[in-house]
Amino acid sequence: MSLRHAILVLLQDQEASGYDLAREFANSIGLVWNATHQQIYLELGKLSEQDMVRYRHVPQEGKPDKKLYSLTDAGRAELVRWLKKPAGPARIRDAFMVKVAGGALADTQVLLSELDTLAKQRRERLATFEALAQRLDESGRDENVYNYLTVRRGILDQRAWLQWAEEVRHSLEHRSADSTAS
């Protein structure tokens, strides 16, 4: 998957500004794909040059004109082409997992502290996803089934990570207690 396809997915049903897209990355598609404002605007420029999106200027009082982007026929065709291809395996890049793997050389208290910080972030993300799922449920899950399914995956991922974190905590605390008793 590439950033271009994530943007095309977000534009499939409605036009949006770069700011709107960045907000969607933070709130929804960010469950599965992260991008900075700069990356989004850069990719929008490329998509525009390749005639996959077009934009219209919307005048704003006291601010520069806003650009609202929408899919072109070429963009929709690219999205459909990409959707037909099988997805490759997900790539995982998790620095904390690497730290746990190298934990024999690490300070257990430092690992536990970082685990606490990450667990707090995961609990906050879980709460956000659960609230989003509830809103999708209230507005009609069937009408938003694809968004709902994506959010459910996010919920399950967060819960699984938090369960794993408890196992890590238990193991590290047990290891720490054993080493102090020796």
Side-chain angles (χ1 to χ4, degrees), residues 43-56:
E43 193 61 40
L44 282 169
K46 292 176 189 174
L47 288 167
S48 182
E49 288 171 9
Q50 296 167 355
D51 194 38
M52 293 200 194
V53 299
R54 69 175 151 267
Y55 60 86
R56 64 183 179 93

Side-chain angles (χ1 to χ4, degrees), residues 35-71:
T36 65
H37 281 73
Q38 183 178 7
Q39 291 169 323
I40 293 167
Y41 282 104
L42 241 141
E43 193 61 40
L44 282 169
K46 292 176 189 174
L47 288 167
S48 182
E49 288 171 9
Q50 296 167 355
D51 194 38
M52 293 200 194
V53 299
R54 69 175 151 267
Y55 60 86
R56 64 183 179 93
H57 288 277
V58 176
Q60 300 188 104
E61 195 149 325
K63 300 180 196 176
D65 290 353
K66 181 183 347 184
K67 289 182 180 177
L68 287 180
Y69 293 87
S70 59
L71 276 185

Side-chain angles (χ1 to χ4, degrees), residues 19-182:
Y19 176 81
D20 296 331
L21 291 170
R23 194 175 61 232
E24 283 300 312
F25 269 90
N27 296 325
S28 65
I29 203 128
L31 297 171
V32 295
W33 197 266
N34 292 315
T36 65
H37 281 73
Q38 183 178 7
Q39 291 169 323
I40 293 167
Y41 282 104
L42 241 141
E43 193 61 40
L44 282 169
K46 292 176 189 174
L47 288 167
S48 182
E49 288 171 9
Q50 296 167 355
D51 194 38
M52 293 200 194
V53 299
R54 69 175 151 267
Y55 60 86
R56 64 183 179 93
H57 288 277
V58 176
Q60 300 188 104
E61 195 149 325
K63 300 180 196 176
D65 290 353
K66 181 183 347 184
K67 289 182 180 177
L68 287 180
Y69 293 87
S70 59
L71 276 185
T72 63
D73 290 340
R76 189 168 299 282
E78 169 57 18
L79 182 54
V80 168
R81 183 199 65 74
W82 178 77
L83 287 168
K84 289 180 180 179
K85 288 175 46 179
R91 290 184 274 165
I92 299 173
R93 299 168 104 187
D94 188 331
F96 185 70
M97 293 275 294
V98 176
K99 287 182 177 187
V100 170
L105 299 176
D107 179 316
T108 301
Q109 292 310 309
V110 170
L111 280 176
L112 286 169
S113 177
E114 188 169 351
L115 180 71
D116 288 342
T117 300
L118 293 171
K120 180 178 185 262
Q121 292 169 356
R122 295 287 185 140
R123 283 190 296 276
E124 289 169 357
R125 194 177 301 161
L126 175 60
T128 299
F129 294 163
E130 287 174 337
L132 183 54
Q134 183 175 348
R135 282 195 304 273
L136 289 169
D137 251 347
E138 291 167 358
S139 66
R141 184 188 311 174
D142 291 341
E143 294 174 22
N144 298 298
V145 68
Y146 301 108
N147 288 337
Y148 182 80
L149 293 172
T150 304
V151 169
R152 282 293 302 151
R153 167 66 190 275
I155 289 170
L156 295 174
D157 282 347
Q158 300 314 306
R159 287 180 180 166
W161 193 96
L162 289 165
Q163 183 178 350
W164 171 80
E166 285 305 311
E167 291 178 28
V168 171
R169 169 169 294 294
H170 176 76
S171 294
L172 293 181
E173 287 174 344
H174 180 74
R175 182 177 182 276
S176 182
D178 285 351
S179 67
T180 56
S182 304

